[in-house]
């Protein structure tokens, strides 16, 4: 078995595919890449299926040694990217040879990068997915983050062409974020004053942010509910606990919970949120379900119609 040897695992590097769906009934959450857009671009640059298994590198510090000749791409956060000590560009495909050293430094913009190889990493599925959820100890190589000495198996591949995403299509992770929200059925338990406060206030991303959810700090809002029976929770749900500070739930969220929810953030915006560091400024905007569908349809069409630039 050959592939990439993990020399340094970085702060938090996880094996991910598009996510684990259809398993909530047994208490397993979705997992998958927090920034699904960057993940899909990394796979497309390598000519893969969009759900092929890759790596999510949080903050940085990853060092790999190639044991096969193949091609790879890195997208997402601005992490210094080197092959054999030489700086190389992100958002494009690179040939690598057995013995090459691949390094990702620490992020200067954004917080999560995605590394894919041609054909994807060959990792056995667990409950229909390779996505790693450390809390549940499922997915990846052993249900945990990468460790020094791990081997990431993949097939040798010699690309016939190398590709790059035009700079105009690459995201900006420095700007403040407005999260578009579809109101949930419990929004009526927040009176008109509380809703106006929520949608007119600026929040800051706290340091209590992980793959389960991002806690915000700012104007507290209150629900008329003191508590509810635990119920299923969707991706992007905005829980309002007793302290009134919103929590936006993400991929590794629990499958059920009992806090009131004012609404849910659309997935395109949770991807942007996941790239922000503590202190980032966040606002919320109410949109209709119909507008959310339009946003997603247009974004999907733009992704399909965006042409990659051949660089070699």
């Amino acid at each position: 078995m050959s592939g990439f040897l993990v020399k340094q695992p970085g702060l938090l590097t996880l094996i991910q595919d598009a996510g684990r769906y259809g398993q909530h009934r047994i208490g397993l959450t979705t997992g998958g890449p927090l920034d699904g857009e960057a993940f899909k671009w990394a796979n497309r640059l390598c000519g893969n299926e969009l759900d092929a298994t890759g790596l999510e590198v949080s903050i940085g510090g990853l060092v790999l040694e190639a044991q096969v000749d193949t091609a790879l791409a890195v997208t997402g956060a601005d992490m210094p990217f080197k092959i054999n000590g030489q700086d190389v560009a992100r958002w494009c495909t690179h040939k690598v040879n057995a013995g090459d050293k691949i390094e990702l430094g620490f992020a200067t913009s954004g917080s999560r990068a995605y590394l894919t190889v041609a054909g994807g990493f060959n990792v056995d599925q667990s409950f229909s997915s390779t996505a790693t959820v450390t809390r549940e100890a499922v997915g990846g190589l052993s249900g945990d983050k990468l460790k020094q000495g791990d081997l990431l198996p993949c097939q040798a591949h010699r690309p016939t062409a190398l590709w790059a995403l035009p700079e105009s299509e690459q995201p900006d992770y420095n700007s403040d974020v407005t999260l578009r929200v579809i109101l949930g059925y419990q929004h009526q338990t927040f009176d008109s004053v509380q809703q106006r406060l929520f949608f007119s206030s600026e929040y800051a991303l706290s340091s209590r942010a992980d793959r389960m959810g991002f806690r915000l700090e700012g104007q507290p809002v209150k629900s008329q509910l003191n508590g509810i029976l635990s119920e299923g929770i969707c991706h992007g749900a905005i829980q309002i606990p007793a302290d009134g500070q919103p929590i936006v739930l993400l991929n590794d969220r629990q499958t059920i919970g009992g806090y009131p929810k004012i609404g849910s953030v659309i997935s395109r915006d949770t991807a942007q949120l996941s790239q922000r560091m503590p202190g980032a400024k966040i606002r919320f905007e109410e949109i209709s379900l119909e507008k959310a569908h339009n946003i997603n349809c247009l974004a999907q069409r733009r992704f399909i119609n965006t042409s990659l630039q051949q660089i070699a």
Side-chain angles (χ1 to χ4, degrees), residues 59 111-112 203-218 245-247 273 276-282:
I59 308 303
S111 59
R112 289 170 175 85
Y203 292 88
L205 180 59
S206 79
S207 59
R208 295 184 294 172
D210 57 26
R211 284 183 51 87
M212 287 184 65
F214 279 26
R215 292 176 178 265
L216 307 180
E217 296 174 341
Q245 301 296 317
I247 306 171
L273 175 64
R276 268 45 184 193
M277 297 291 281
K281 302 303 181 185
I282 309 294

Side-chain angles (χ1 to χ4, degrees), residues 148-303:
Q148 185 177 8
D150 281 344
L151 181 65
L152 303 169
C154 66
Q155 298 294 321
H157 180 84
R158 296 313 301 173
T160 57
L162 302 179
W163 304 93
L165 180 66
E167 188 173 350
S168 61
E169 298 295 328
Q170 297 174 22
D172 173 17
Y173 299 132
N174 290 313
S175 59
D176 294 341
V177 180
T178 297
L179 303 177
R180 291 163 289 190
V181 175
I182 301 169
L183 291 179
Y185 78 95
Q186 292 166 354
H187 82 275
Q188 294 178 344
T189 70
F190 299 83
D191 64 32
S192 60
V193 172
Q194 297 301 310
Q195 291 189 42
R196 184 169 296 183
L197 285 171
F198 178 76
F199 286 109
S200 64
S201 298
E202 183 177 78
Y203 292 88
L205 180 59
S206 79
S207 59
R208 295 184 294 172
D210 57 26
R211 284 183 51 87
M212 287 184 65
F214 279 26
R215 292 176 178 265
L216 307 180
E217 296 174 341
Q219 171 65 48
V221 293
K222 300 292 184 181
S223 168
Q224 297 165 3
L225 292 174
N226 293 321
I228 60 175
L229 293 175
S230 291
E231 61 183 9
I233 302 176
C234 69
H235 178 271
I238 307 166
Q239 286 188 336
I240 308 294
D243 63 4
Q245 301 296 317
I247 306 171
V248 180
L249 297 177
L250 300 178
N251 301 47
D252 289 5
R253 66 197 180 279
Q254 64 275 31
T255 56
I256 60 173
Y259 289 126
K261 295 169 286 295
I262 195 168
S264 297
V265 178
I266 66 173
S267 59
R268 289 193 59 78
D269 291 351
T270 60
Q272 285 293 314
L273 175 64
S274 73
Q275 290 287 5
R276 268 45 184 193
M277 297 291 281
K281 302 303 181 185
I282 309 294
R283 302 185 73 90
F284 294 96
E285 174 191 354
E286 179 189 348
I287 64 170
S288 67
L289 184 60
E290 291 74 19
K291 184 172 182 180
H293 283 311
N294 288 341
I295 290 168
N296 285 332
C297 287
L298 289 171
Q300 183 178 18
R301 179 57 54 186
R302 184 184 182 104
F303 178 85

Side-chain angles (χ1 to χ4, degrees), residues 14-92:
L14 300 173
I15 292 172
Q16 298 291 354
D17 61 8
R20 181 173 289 102
Y21 293 91
Q23 305 297 333
H24 281 195
R25 69 188 186 280
I26 58 173
L28 294 179
T29 195
T30 308
L34 292 185
D35 186 347
E37 197 73 9
F39 178 79
K40 288 191 295 183
W41 277 121
N43 271 320
R44 185 172 166 190
L45 285 163
C46 286
N48 297 341
E49 297 293 328
L50 299 183
D51 61 351
T53 298
L55 300 179
E56 178 180 85
V57 186
S58 296
I59 308 303
L62 176 68
V63 180
L64 305 175
E65 181 183 288
Q67 297 184 342
V68 293
D69 298 344
T70 187
L72 57 75
V74 172
T75 62
D78 188 356
M79 296 179 186
F81 177 28
K82 296 182 179 182
I83 298 178
N84 295 328
Q86 299 295 314
D87 290 323
V88 294
R90 297 170 304 113
W91 299 96
C92 61

